[in-house]
Amino acid sequence: MRYDNGNDEIFDLIVVGSGAAGMAAAITAARHGLSTVIVEKSRYWGGSSARSGGGVWIPGNSVLRREAPADDIEEARRYLAAIIGTEVASERIDAYLDRGPEALEFLLDHSPLKLEWVQGYSDYLPEAPGGRAGGRSCEPLPFDGRALGADLETLHPPYAEGPAGVVFKQGEYRWMSTGLRNWRGPRTMLRVGMRTALGRIRGQKLLGLGSALMGPLMLGVRAAGVPVRLNTGMVELVFEGGRVSGIVVEHNGIRSTLRARRGVVLASGGFDHNPEMREKYHREPVTADLSLGAPTNTGDGITAAQRVGATVSFMSDAWWAPSIPMPKGPWFALSERSLPRSLIVNDRGVRFMNESLPYVEATHRMFGGEHGIGDGPAENLPAWLIFDQTYRNRYVFAGVPPRQRLPRSWMRSGAITTAGTLTELAERIGIPAAALEATVSRFNGHARGGSDPDFGRGESAYDHYYGDLANKPNPSLGELTKAPFYAARMVPGDLGTKGGIDTDIHARALRADGSVIDGLYAAGNTSSPVMGYTYAGPGATIGPALVFGYLAALDAAGVNTPR
């Protein structure tokens, strides 16, 4: 390995990673007078944030104050206390809530980012004290990528392209997934289609979801004069004189040192695609291949921090996403689990949860137990999503429109199995036929009555968000009666790992005794989650990433009080 023997470059603040946390830190630092650089291991910028839905969960922000006046920070505090419990220090939760609106406003002021409230997209556990059925999530408006110039070519590609290249918002996908079942479906599809067509006529490069979040933030980074160095991976932290004073990076096979007067912010994601760390911290059948996180997220920031004394927590958990292992990669089953005429069974042919649960909670149930952690085999894996032909006739499935034949490659891979009877389907996927038939029969009886006494499916406002409002008497429940029947294999995918570096209210990295590692900060999935083992609502990963990236930069700049 060659080293650059020239003079070390010196900055005030070095940011490792170009996702939401890294860009928030860089914009904030530069706007407070610090010379700042972003180093990014990938050939793309945007990280997992660019691959996400782009939602932002920050209660009390200016968008919510304008569009959702019923939102209240104190109620949000009550909500987080109820769902997180004592797993996370209350002062970190308070810092997130109290400084969140300020952080988001700063980023809105210093970038062209525009957000709107996703009306009706409920908190994930809205019946908990302080939860809101109306939701607290905001999402970015579609964005014309031409404004990025040459940077558009290196924006991280999305997790999945919209059908026919259309650009839609999270609030629109809800109606699109139910096809023609509700009048809002055709209206939404028409609006999305017209937007796409008009954009093409105008020569626009429309971006949606996570790309529409990260594009404007990149413009904020550029406007603040922050250089972004792609294909530049951090090899190790420079630790001398009792503090972190820089990093060693590698670019094109050459290593060099970047010095930091004020510190280093680690915002390089989790260990999504590190097989060794996955094996060490996670249970079978979790593998790196099932993660939807950016492929270059291999835990570099976490392991580098551990080498200089940082502690970590929540390493056994992740931002789980029940997924279908398609030939080209996992498909995150978001709406598919909530639609009527479907249910999920384990290898014993029985249901084990409310299928409409928020995705982190649902995967915990797949593992077995409240948090799905511990030793031993997962209790409810393998698992299958079972549905009938009426389901296929009515709803979008894994991006395939209603009534359209599912790709044969899905069948050949074993991701999808179909059969003319439930008995035959059970035999093909290797579960007890009698148990599956009994499970479906019991489920159908309850569905006719509109209730699920076994697991409460359809009782939560969240259950209904991706349900079928035209389905009576319960948007989440429907009988499985029409052949052929289908089984989609379900696996514990994730949107990224949760475990990371323990930090304080200023995002400063901590040792086991609670002391601060001078000059070292962490935010986003490189840090321990403020959400603990749960997930508050849509955008509750990106929200904390933005807030603690902002707070890290303020601390480095010597500004710790609210503006």
mmCIF file with all atom_site columns, all heavy atoms in Angstrom, residues 168-178 188 331-332 334-336 396-399 465-466:
data_model
loop_
_atom_site.group_PDB
_atom_site.id
_atom_site.type_symbol
_atom_site.label_atom_id
_atom_site.label_alt_id
_atom_site.label_comp_id
_atom_site.label_asym_id
_atom_site.label_entity_id
_atom_site.label_seq_id
_atom_site.pdbx_PDB_ins_code
_atom_site.Cartn_x
_atom_site.Cartn_y
_atom_site.Cartn_z
_atom_site.occupancy
_atom_site.B_iso_or_equiv
_atom_site.pdbx_formal_charge
_atom_site.auth_seq_id
_atom_site.auth_comp_id
_atom_site.auth_asym_id
_atom_site.auth_atom_id
_atom_site.pdbx_PDB_model_num
ATOM 1   N N   . PHE A 1 168 ? -43.201 9.200   -7.438  1.00 0.00 ? 168 PHE A N   1
ATOM 2   C CA  . PHE A 1 168 ? -44.344 9.376   -6.550  1.00 0.00 ? 168 PHE A CA  1
ATOM 3   C C   . PHE A 1 168 ? -43.865 9.672   -5.145  1.00 0.00 ? 168 PHE A C   1
ATOM 4   O O   . PHE A 1 168 ? -42.704 9.481   -4.802  1.00 0.00 ? 168 PHE A O   1
ATOM 5   C CB  . PHE A 1 168 ? -45.239 8.127   -6.552  1.00 0.00 ? 168 PHE A CB  1
ATOM 6   C CG  . PHE A 1 168 ? -44.508 6.853   -6.240  1.00 0.00 ? 168 PHE A CG  1
ATOM 7   C CD1 . PHE A 1 168 ? -44.283 6.456   -4.932  1.00 0.00 ? 168 PHE A CD1 1
ATOM 8   C CD2 . PHE A 1 168 ? -44.052 6.040   -7.265  1.00 0.00 ? 168 PHE A CD2 1
ATOM 9   C CE1 . PHE A 1 168 ? -43.611 5.286   -4.638  1.00 0.00 ? 168 PHE A CE1 1
ATOM 10  C CE2 . PHE A 1 168 ? -43.364 4.853   -6.983  1.00 0.00 ? 168 PHE A CE2 1
ATOM 11  C CZ  . PHE A 1 168 ? -43.150 4.479   -5.674  1.00 0.00 ? 168 PHE A CZ  1
ATOM 12  N N   . LYS A 1 169 ? -44.808 10.145  -4.327  1.00 0.00 ? 169 LYS A N   1
ATOM 13  C CA  . LYS A 1 169 ? -44.536 10.436  -2.925  1.00 0.00 ? 169 LYS A CA  1
ATOM 14  C C   . LYS A 1 169 ? -45.069 9.299   -2.060  1.00 0.00 ? 169 LYS A C   1
ATOM 15  O O   . LYS A 1 169 ? -45.893 8.498   -2.495  1.00 0.00 ? 169 LYS A O   1
ATOM 16  C CB  . LYS A 1 169 ? -45.177 11.763  -2.534  1.00 0.00 ? 169 LYS A CB  1
ATOM 17  C CG  . LYS A 1 169 ? -44.649 12.959  -3.309  1.00 0.00 ? 169 LYS A CG  1
ATOM 18  C CD  . LYS A 1 169 ? -45.297 14.268  -2.879  1.00 0.00 ? 169 LYS A CD  1
ATOM 19  C CE  . LYS A 1 169 ? -46.739 14.374  -3.343  1.00 0.00 ? 169 LYS A CE  1
ATOM 20  N NZ  . LYS A 1 169 ? -47.320 15.701  -3.058  1.00 0.00 ? 169 LYS A NZ  1
ATOM 21  N N   . GLN A 1 170 ? -44.594 9.243   -0.816  1.00 0.00 ? 170 GLN A N   1
ATOM 22  C CA  . GLN A 1 170 ? -45.074 8.200   0.093   1.00 0.00 ? 170 GLN A CA  1
ATOM 23  C C   . GLN A 1 170 ? -46.585 8.278   0.257   1.00 0.00 ? 170 GLN A C   1
ATOM 24  O O   . GLN A 1 170 ? -47.266 7.258   0.293   1.00 0.00 ? 170 GLN A O   1
ATOM 25  C CB  . GLN A 1 170 ? -44.406 8.361   1.464   1.00 0.00 ? 170 GLN A CB  1
ATOM 26  C CG  . GLN A 1 170 ? -42.943 8.009   1.493   1.00 0.00 ? 170 GLN A CG  1
ATOM 27  C CD  . GLN A 1 170 ? -42.402 8.014   2.906   1.00 0.00 ? 170 GLN A CD  1
ATOM 28  O OE1 . GLN A 1 170 ? -42.626 7.098   3.681   1.00 0.00 ? 170 GLN A OE1 1
ATOM 29  N NE2 . GLN A 1 170 ? -41.663 9.054   3.229   1.00 0.00 ? 170 GLN A NE2 1
ATOM 30  N N   . GLY A 1 171 ? -47.097 9.500   0.382   1.00 0.00 ? 171 GLY A N   1
ATOM 31  C CA  . GLY A 1 171 ? -48.529 9.676   0.553   1.00 0.00 ? 171 GLY A CA  1
ATOM 32  C C   . GLY A 1 171 ? -49.338 9.236   -0.653  1.00 0.00 ? 171 GLY A C   1
ATOM 33  O O   . GLY A 1 171 ? -50.538 8.960   -0.536  1.00 0.00 ? 171 GLY A O   1
ATOM 34  N N   . GLU A 1 172 ? -48.688 9.155   -1.824  1.00 0.00 ? 172 GLU A N   1
ATOM 35  C CA  . GLU A 1 172 ? -49.378 8.710   -3.033  1.00 0.00 ? 172 GLU A CA  1
ATOM 36  C C   . GLU A 1 172 ? -49.315 7.196   -3.188  1.00 0.00 ? 172 GLU A C   1
ATOM 37  O O   . GLU A 1 172 ? -50.262 6.581   -3.702  1.00 0.00 ? 172 GLU A O   1
ATOM 38  C CB  . GLU A 1 172 ? -48.753 9.391   -4.257  1.00 0.00 ? 172 GLU A CB  1
ATOM 39  C CG  . GLU A 1 172 ? -48.986 10.892  -4.274  1.00 0.00 ? 172 GLU A CG  1
ATOM 40  C CD  . GLU A 1 172 ? -48.151 11.624  -5.306  1.00 0.00 ? 172 GLU A CD  1
ATOM 41  O OE1 . GLU A 1 172 ? -47.072 11.112  -5.679  1.00 0.00 ? 172 GLU A OE1 1
ATOM 42  O OE2 . GLU A 1 172 ? -48.575 12.714  -5.725  1.00 0.00 ? 172 GLU A OE2 1
ATOM 43  N N   . TYR A 1 173 ? -48.222 6.592   -2.756  1.00 0.00 ? 173 TYR A N   1
ATOM 44  C CA  . TYR A 1 173 ? -48.074 5.146   -2.906  1.00 0.00 ? 173 TYR A CA  1
ATOM 45  C C   . TYR A 1 173 ? -49.189 4.399   -2.177  1.00 0.00 ? 173 TYR A C   1
ATOM 46  O O   . TYR A 1 173 ? -49.652 3.349   -2.641  1.00 0.00 ? 173 TYR A O   1
ATOM 47  C CB  . TYR A 1 173 ? -46.718 4.693   -2.382  1.00 0.00 ? 173 TYR A CB  1
ATOM 48  C CG  . TYR A 1 173 ? -46.516 3.201   -2.513  1.00 0.00 ? 173 TYR A CG  1
ATOM 49  C CD1 . TYR A 1 173 ? -46.278 2.628   -3.756  1.00 0.00 ? 173 TYR A CD1 1
ATOM 50  C CD2 . TYR A 1 173 ? -46.595 2.365   -1.398  1.00 0.00 ? 173 TYR A CD2 1
ATOM 51  C CE1 . TYR A 1 173 ? -46.114 1.254   -3.898  1.00 0.00 ? 173 TYR A CE1 1
ATOM 52  C CE2 . TYR A 1 173 ? -46.435 0.992   -1.526  1.00 0.00 ? 173 TYR A CE2 1
ATOM 53  C CZ  . TYR A 1 173 ? -46.198 0.449   -2.781  1.00 0.00 ? 173 TYR A CZ  1
ATOM 54  O OH  . TYR A 1 173 ? -46.053 -0.912  -2.905  1.00 0.00 ? 173 TYR A OH  1
ATOM 55  N N   . ARG A 1 174 ? -49.651 4.961   -1.084  1.00 0.00 ? 174 ARG A N   1
ATOM 56  C CA  . ARG A 1 174 ? -50.734 4.338   -0.318  1.00 0.00 ? 174 ARG A CA  1
ATOM 57  C C   . ARG A 1 174 ? -51.926 4.034   -1.220  1.00 0.00 ? 174 ARG A C   1
ATOM 58  O O   . ARG A 1 174 ? -52.512 2.952   -1.153  1.00 0.00 ? 174 ARG A O   1
ATOM 59  C CB  . ARG A 1 174 ? -51.148 5.275   0.808   1.00 0.00 ? 174 ARG A CB  1
ATOM 60  C CG  . ARG A 1 174 ? -52.395 4.854   1.541   1.00 0.00 ? 174 ARG A CG  1
ATOM 61  C CD  . ARG A 1 174 ? -52.906 5.961   2.445   1.00 0.00 ? 174 ARG A CD  1
ATOM 62  N NE  . ARG A 1 174 ? -53.976 5.478   3.305   1.00 0.00 ? 174 ARG A NE  1
ATOM 63  C CZ  . ARG A 1 174 ? -54.648 6.252   4.140   1.00 0.00 ? 174 ARG A CZ  1
ATOM 64  N NH1 . ARG A 1 174 ? -54.358 7.551   4.228   1.00 0.00 ? 174 ARG A NH1 1
ATOM 65  N NH2 . ARG A 1 174 ? -55.610 5.742   4.892   1.00 0.00 ? 174 ARG A NH2 1
ATOM 66  N N   . TRP A 1 175 ? -52.294 4.994   -2.057  1.00 0.00 ? 175 TRP A N   1
ATOM 67  C CA  . TRP A 1 175 ? -53.478 4.818   -2.900  1.00 0.00 ? 175 TRP A CA  1
ATOM 68  C C   . TRP A 1 175 ? -53.150 4.027   -4.155  1.00 0.00 ? 175 TRP A C   1
ATOM 69  O O   . TRP A 1 175 ? -53.986 3.274   -4.666  1.00 0.00 ? 175 TRP A O   1
ATOM 70  C CB  . TRP A 1 175 ? -54.069 6.177   -3.257  1.00 0.00 ? 175 TRP A CB  1
ATOM 71  C CG  . TRP A 1 175 ? -54.404 6.983   -2.049  1.00 0.00 ? 175 TRP A CG  1
ATOM 72  C CD1 . TRP A 1 175 ? -53.822 8.135   -1.634  1.00 0.00 ? 175 TRP A CD1 1
ATOM 73  C CD2 . TRP A 1 175 ? -55.397 6.658   -1.061  1.00 0.00 ? 175 TRP A CD2 1
ATOM 74  N NE1 . TRP A 1 175 ? -54.377 8.561   -0.450  1.00 0.00 ? 175 TRP A NE1 1
ATOM 75  C CE2 . TRP A 1 175 ? -55.350 7.681   -0.078  1.00 0.00 ? 175 TRP A CE2 1
ATOM 76  C CE3 . TRP A 1 175 ? -56.320 5.621   -0.908  1.00 0.00 ? 175 TRP A CE3 1
ATOM 77  C CZ2 . TRP A 1 175 ? -56.189 7.689   1.028   1.00 0.00 ? 175 TRP A CZ2 1
ATOM 78  C CZ3 . TRP A 1 175 ? -57.158 5.627   0.201   1.00 0.00 ? 175 TRP A CZ3 1
ATOM 79  C CH2 . TRP A 1 175 ? -57.085 6.644   1.156   1.00 0.00 ? 175 TRP A CH2 1
ATOM 80  N N   . MET A 1 176 ? -51.947 4.172   -4.649  1.00 0.00 ? 176 MET A N   1
ATOM 81  C CA  . MET A 1 176 ? -51.554 3.437   -5.847  1.00 0.00 ? 176 MET A CA  1
ATOM 82  C C   . MET A 1 176 ? -51.516 1.933   -5.594  1.00 0.00 ? 176 MET A C   1
ATOM 83  O O   . MET A 1 176 ? -51.800 1.133   -6.490  1.00 0.00 ? 176 MET A O   1
ATOM 84  C CB  . MET A 1 176 ? -50.188 3.930   -6.330  1.00 0.00 ? 176 MET A CB  1
ATOM 85  C CG  . MET A 1 176 ? -50.198 5.370   -6.827  1.00 0.00 ? 176 MET A CG  1
ATOM 86  S SD  . MET A 1 176 ? -48.526 6.032   -7.092  1.00 0.00 ? 176 MET A SD  1
ATOM 87  C CE  . MET A 1 176 ? -47.950 4.977   -8.409  1.00 0.00 ? 176 MET A CE  1
ATOM 88  N N   . SER A 1 177 ? -51.172 1.533   -4.363  1.00 0.00 ? 177 SER A N   1
ATOM 89  C CA  . SER A 1 177 ? -51.028 0.105   -4.065  1.00 0.00 ? 177 SER A CA  1
ATOM 90  C C   . SER A 1 177 ? -52.346 -0.642  -4.108  1.00 0.00 ? 177 SER A C   1
ATOM 91  O O   . SER A 1 177 ? -52.370 -1.865  -4.271  1.00 0.00 ? 177 SER A O   1
ATOM 92  C CB  . SER A 1 177 ? -50.376 -0.085  -2.686  1.00 0.00 ? 177 SER A CB  1
ATOM 93  O OG  . SER A 1 177 ? -51.238 0.351   -1.653  1.00 0.00 ? 177 SER A OG  1
ATOM 94  N N   . THR A 1 178 ? -53.474 0.077   -3.964  1.00 0.00 ? 178 THR A N   1
ATOM 95  C CA  . THR A 1 178 ? -54.783 -0.589  -3.982  1.00 0.00 ? 178 THR A CA  1
ATOM 96  C C   . THR A 1 178 ? -55.471 -0.489  -5.342  1.00 0.00 ? 178 THR A C   1
ATOM 97  O O   . THR A 1 178 ? -56.663 -0.775  -5.456  1.00 0.00 ? 178 THR A O   1
ATOM 98  C CB  . THR A 1 178 ? -55.703 -0.014  -2.888  1.00 0.00 ? 178 THR A CB  1
ATOM 99  O OG1 . THR A 1 178 ? -55.798 1.409   -3.037  1.00 0.00 ? 178 THR A OG1 1
ATOM 100 C CG2 . THR A 1 178 ? -55.173 -0.333  -1.514  1.00 0.00 ? 178 THR A CG2 1
ATOM 101 N N   . THR A 1 188 ? -54.985 9.386   -8.030  1.00 0.00 ? 188 THR A N   1
ATOM 102 C CA  . THR A 1 188 ? -53.565 9.510   -7.700  1.00 0.00 ? 188 THR A CA  1
ATOM 103 C C   . THR A 1 188 ? -52.693 9.085   -8.870  1.00 0.00 ? 188 THR A C   1
ATOM 104 O O   . THR A 1 188 ? -51.701 9.748   -9.195  1.00 0.00 ? 188 THR A O   1
ATOM 105 C CB  . THR A 1 188 ? -53.235 8.671   -6.455  1.00 0.00 ? 188 THR A CB  1
ATOM 106 O OG1 . THR A 1 188 ? -54.015 9.134   -5.348  1.00 0.00 ? 188 THR A OG1 1
ATOM 107 C CG2 . THR A 1 188 ? -51.758 8.782   -6.106  1.00 0.00 ? 188 THR A CG2 1
ATOM 108 N N   . TRP A 1 331 ? -37.173 -7.711  -1.608  1.00 0.00 ? 331 TRP A N   1
ATOM 109 C CA  . TRP A 1 331 ? -38.246 -6.733  -1.800  1.00 0.00 ? 331 TRP A CA  1
ATOM 110 C C   . TRP A 1 331 ? -38.887 -6.462  -0.438  1.00 0.00 ? 331 TRP A C   1
ATOM 111 O O   . TRP A 1 331 ? -39.422 -7.348  0.200   1.00 0.00 ? 331 TRP A O   1
ATOM 112 C CB  . TRP A 1 331 ? -39.309 -7.236  -2.770  1.00 0.00 ? 331 TRP A CB  1
ATOM 113 C CG  . TRP A 1 331 ? -40.467 -6.271  -2.888  1.00 0.00 ? 331 TRP A CG  1
ATOM 114 C CD1 . TRP A 1 331 ? -41.597 -6.256  -2.129  1.00 0.00 ? 331 TRP A CD1 1
ATOM 115 C CD2 . TRP A 1 331 ? -40.561 -5.152  -3.784  1.00 0.00 ? 331 TRP A CD2 1
ATOM 116 N NE1 . TRP A 1 331 ? -42.407 -5.203  -2.498  1.00 0.00 ? 331 TRP A NE1 1
ATOM 117 C CE2 . TRP A 1 331 ? -41.792 -4.506  -3.515  1.00 0.00 ? 331 TRP A CE2 1
ATOM 118 C CE3 . TRP A 1 331 ? -39.733 -4.639  -4.779  1.00 0.00 ? 331 TRP A CE3 1
ATOM 119 C CZ2 . TRP A 1 331 ? -42.202 -3.374  -4.217  1.00 0.00 ? 331 TRP A CZ2 1
ATOM 120 C CZ3 . TRP A 1 331 ? -40.153 -3.513  -5.474  1.00 0.00 ? 331 TRP A CZ3 1
ATOM 121 C CH2 . TRP A 1 331 ? -41.369 -2.893  -5.195  1.00 0.00 ? 331 TRP A CH2 1
ATOM 122 N N   . PHE A 1 332 ? -38.820 -5.220  0.007   1.00 0.00 ? 332 PHE A N   1
ATOM 123 C CA  . PHE A 1 332 ? -39.378 -4.807  1.287   1.00 0.00 ? 332 PHE A CA  1
ATOM 124 C C   . PHE A 1 332 ? -40.903 -4.854  1.200   1.00 0.00 ? 332 PHE A C   1
ATOM 125 O O   . PHE A 1 332 ? -41.521 -4.071  0.483   1.00 0.00 ? 332 PHE A O   1
ATOM 126 C CB  . PHE A 1 332 ? -38.878 -3.397  1.589   1.00 0.00 ? 332 PHE A CB  1
ATOM 127 C CG  . PHE A 1 332 ? -39.448 -2.749  2.818   1.00 0.00 ? 332 PHE A CG  1
ATOM 128 C CD1 . PHE A 1 332 ? -40.024 -3.474  3.843   1.00 0.00 ? 332 PHE A CD1 1
ATOM 129 C CD2 . PHE A 1 332 ? -39.378 -1.364  2.963   1.00 0.00 ? 332 PHE A CD2 1
ATOM 130 C CE1 . PHE A 1 332 ? -40.537 -2.864  4.965   1.00 0.00 ? 332 PHE A CE1 1
ATOM 131 C CE2 . PHE A 1 332 ? -39.889 -0.735  4.082   1.00 0.00 ? 332 PHE A CE2 1
ATOM 132 C CZ  . PHE A 1 332 ? -40.467 -1.490  5.083   1.00 0.00 ? 332 PHE A CZ  1
ATOM 133 N N   . LEU A 1 334 ? -43.917 -3.827  2.387   1.00 0.00 ? 334 LEU A N   1
ATOM 134 C CA  . LEU A 1 334 ? -44.500 -2.788  3.225   1.00 0.00 ? 334 LEU A CA  1
ATOM 135 C C   . LEU A 1 334 ? -46.021 -2.862  3.192   1.00 0.00 ? 334 LEU A C   1
ATOM 136 O O   . LEU A 1 334 ? -46.663 -3.212  4.174   1.00 0.00 ? 334 LEU A O   1
ATOM 137 C CB  . LEU A 1 334 ? -44.014 -1.419  2.756   1.00 0.00 ? 334 LEU A CB  1
ATOM 138 C CG  . LEU A 1 334 ? -44.501 -0.205  3.544   1.00 0.00 ? 334 LEU A CG  1
ATOM 139 C CD1 . LEU A 1 334 ? -44.112 -0.311  5.012   1.00 0.00 ? 334 LEU A CD1 1
ATOM 140 C CD2 . LEU A 1 334 ? -43.948 1.080   2.939   1.00 0.00 ? 334 LEU A CD2 1
ATOM 141 N N   . SER A 1 335 ? -46.609 -2.563  2.035   1.00 0.00 ? 335 SER A N   1
ATOM 142 C CA  . SER A 1 335 ? -48.069 -2.596  1.929   1.00 0.00 ? 335 SER A CA  1
ATOM 143 C C   . SER A 1 335 ? -48.592 -4.022  1.779   1.00 0.00 ? 335 SER A C   1
ATOM 144 O O   . SER A 1 335 ? -49.729 -4.313  2.186   1.00 0.00 ? 335 SER A O   1
ATOM 145 C CB  . SER A 1 335 ? -48.531 -1.761  0.732   1.00 0.00 ? 335 SER A CB  1
ATOM 146 O OG  . SER A 1 335 ? -48.021 -2.286  -0.479  1.00 0.00 ? 335 SER A OG  1
ATOM 147 N N   . GLU A 1 336 ? -47.795 -4.895  1.193   1.00 0.00 ? 336 GLU A N   1
ATOM 148 C CA  . GLU A 1 336 ? -48.272 -6.250  0.869   1.00 0.00 ? 336 GLU A CA  1
ATOM 149 C C   . GLU A 1 336 ? -48.816 -6.992  2.089   1.00 0.00 ? 336 GLU A C   1
ATOM 150 O O   . GLU A 1 336 ? -49.757 -7.779  1.974   1.00 0.00 ? 336 GLU A O   1
ATOM 151 C CB  . GLU A 1 336 ? -47.139 -7.065  0.234   1.00 0.00 ? 336 GLU A CB  1
ATOM 152 C CG  . GLU A 1 336 ? -46.766 -6.653  -1.167  1.00 0.00 ? 336 GLU A CG  1
ATOM 153 C CD  . GLU A 1 336 ? -45.782 -5.499  -1.226  1.00 0.00 ? 336 GLU A CD  1
ATOM 154 O OE1 . GLU A 1 336 ? -45.447 -4.943  -0.149  1.00 0.00 ? 336 GLU A OE1 1
ATOM 155 O OE2 . GLU A 1 336 ? -45.340 -5.144  -2.335  1.00 0.00 ? 336 GLU A OE2 1
ATOM 156 N N   . VAL A 1 396 ? -51.503 -4.073  -6.143  1.00 0.00 ? 396 VAL A N   1
ATOM 157 C CA  . VAL A 1 396 ? -50.121 -4.110  -6.604  1.00 0.00 ? 396 VAL A CA  1
ATOM 158 C C   . VAL A 1 396 ? -49.340 -5.046  -5.679  1.00 0.00 ? 396 VAL A C   1
ATOM 159 O O   . VAL A 1 396 ? -49.488 -4.991  -4.465  1.00 0.00 ? 396 VAL A O   1
ATOM 160 C CB  . VAL A 1 396 ? -49.503 -2.703  -6.582  1.00 0.00 ? 396 VAL A CB  1
ATOM 161 C CG1 . VAL A 1 396 ? -48.012 -2.765  -6.921  1.00 0.00 ? 396 VAL A CG1 1
ATOM 162 C CG2 . VAL A 1 396 ? -50.235 -1.768  -7.540  1.00 0.00 ? 396 VAL A CG2 1
ATOM 163 N N   . PHE A 1 397 ? -48.511 -5.901  -6.267  1.00 0.00 ? 397 PHE A N   1
ATOM 164 C CA  . PHE A 1 397 ? -47.690 -6.808  -5.462  1.00 0.00 ? 397 PHE A CA  1
ATOM 165 C C   . PHE A 1 397 ? -46.238 -6.706  -5.915  1.00 0.00 ? 397 PHE A C   1
ATOM 166 O O   . PHE A 1 397 ? -45.912 -7.001  -7.064  1.00 0.00 ? 397 PHE A O   1
ATOM 167 C CB  . PHE A 1 397 ? -48.170 -8.257  -5.600  1.00 0.00 ? 397 PHE A CB  1
ATOM 168 C CG  . PHE A 1 397 ? -47.345 -9.237  -4.827  1.00 0.00 ? 397 PHE A CG  1
ATOM 169 C CD1 . PHE A 1 397 ? -47.545 -9.398  -3.454  1.00 0.00 ? 397 PHE A CD1 1
ATOM 170 C CD2 . PHE A 1 397 ? -46.332 -9.966  -5.432  1.00 0.00 ? 397 PHE A CD2 1
ATOM 171 C CE1 . PHE A 1 397 ? -46.768 -10.282 -2.718  1.00 0.00 ? 397 PHE A CE1 1
ATOM 172 C CE2 . PHE A 1 397 ? -45.544 -10.847 -4.711  1.00 0.00 ? 397 PHE A CE2 1
ATOM 173 C CZ  . PHE A 1 397 ? -45.773 -11.002 -3.348  1.00 0.00 ? 397 PHE A CZ  1
ATOM 174 N N   . ALA A 1 398 ? -45.384 -6.255  -5.004  1.00 0.00 ? 398 ALA A N   1
ATOM 175 C CA  . ALA A 1 398 ? -43.947 -6.124  -5.289  1.00 0.00 ? 398 ALA A CA  1
ATOM 176 C C   . ALA A 1 398 ? -43.714 -5.353  -6.586  1.00 0.00 ? 398 ALA A C   1
ATOM 177 O O   . ALA A 1 398 ? -42.834 -5.695  -7.377  1.00 0.00 ? 398 ALA A O   1
ATOM 178 C CB  . ALA A 1 398 ? -43.281 -7.498  -5.345  1.00 0.00 ? 398 ALA A CB  1
ATOM 179 N N   . GLY A 1 399 ? -44.517 -4.319  -6.793  1.00 0.00 ? 399 GLY A N   1
ATOM 180 C CA  . GLY A 1 399 ? -44.367 -3.466  -7.967  1.00 0.00 ? 399 GLY A CA  1
ATOM 181 C C   . GLY A 1 399 ? -45.106 -3.939  -9.199  1.00 0.00 ? 399 GLY A C   1
ATOM 182 O O   . GLY A 1 399 ? -45.147 -3.230  -10.203 1.00 0.00 ? 399 GLY A O   1
ATOM 183 N N   . TYR A 1 465 ? -53.596 2.154   7.277   1.00 0.00 ? 465 TYR A N   1
ATOM 184 C CA  . TYR A 1 465 ? -52.947 3.059   6.337   1.00 0.00 ? 465 TYR A CA  1
ATOM 185 C C   . TYR A 1 465 ? -52.648 2.351   5.021   1.00 0.00 ? 465 TYR A C   1
ATOM 186 O O   . TYR A 1 465 ? -52.870 2.901   3.934   1.00 0.00 ? 465 TYR A O   1
ATOM 187 C CB  . TYR A 1 465 ? -51.657 3.642   6.920   1.00 0.00 ? 465 TYR A CB  1
ATOM 188 C CG  . TYR A 1 465 ? -51.049 4.680   6.008   1.00 0.00 ? 465 TYR A CG  1
ATOM 189 C CD1 . TYR A 1 465 ? -51.585 5.962   5.935   1.00 0.00 ? 465 TYR A CD1 1
ATOM 190 C CD2 . TYR A 1 465 ? -49.964 4.380   5.192   1.00 0.00 ? 465 TYR A CD2 1
ATOM 191 C CE1 . TYR A 1 465 ? -51.063 6.914   5.077   1.00 0.00 ? 465 TYR A CE1 1
ATOM 192 C CE2 . TYR A 1 465 ? -49.427 5.325   4.336   1.00 0.00 ? 465 TYR A CE2 1
ATOM 193 C CZ  . TYR A 1 465 ? -49.986 6.590   4.284   1.00 0.00 ? 465 TYR A CZ  1
ATOM 194 O OH  . TYR A 1 465 ? -49.469 7.522   3.420   1.00 0.00 ? 465 TYR A OH  1
ATOM 195 N N   . TYR A 1 466 ? -52.136 1.131   5.084   1.00 0.00 ? 466 TYR A N   1
ATOM 196 C CA  . TYR A 1 466 ? -51.869 0.371   3.877   1.00 0.00 ? 466 TYR A CA  1
ATOM 197 C C   . TYR A 1 466 ? -52.944 -0.687  3.623   1.00 0.00 ? 466 TYR A C   1
ATOM 198 O O   . TYR A 1 466 ? -52.748 -1.609  2.829   1.00 0.00 ? 466 TYR A O   1
ATOM 199 C CB  . TYR A 1 466 ? -50.492 -0.296  3.943   1.00 0.00 ? 466 TYR A CB  1
ATOM 200 C CG  . TYR A 1 466 ? -49.361 0.669   3.719   1.00 0.00 ? 466 TYR A CG  1
ATOM 201 C CD1 . TYR A 1 466 ? -48.441 0.949   4.726   1.00 0.00 ? 466 TYR A CD1 1
ATOM 202 C CD2 . TYR A 1 466 ? -49.209 1.322   2.501   1.00 0.00 ? 466 TYR A CD2 1
ATOM 203 C CE1 . TYR A 1 466 ? -47.399 1.840   4.520   1.00 0.00 ? 466 TYR A CE1 1
ATOM 204 C CE2 . TYR A 1 466 ? -48.178 2.222   2.289   1.00 0.00 ? 466 TYR A CE2 1
ATOM 205 C CZ  . TYR A 1 466 ? -47.272 2.479   3.301   1.00 0.00 ? 466 TYR A CZ  1
ATOM 206 O OH  . TYR A 1 466 ? -46.247 3.364   3.090   1.00 0.00 ? 466 TYR A OH  1
#
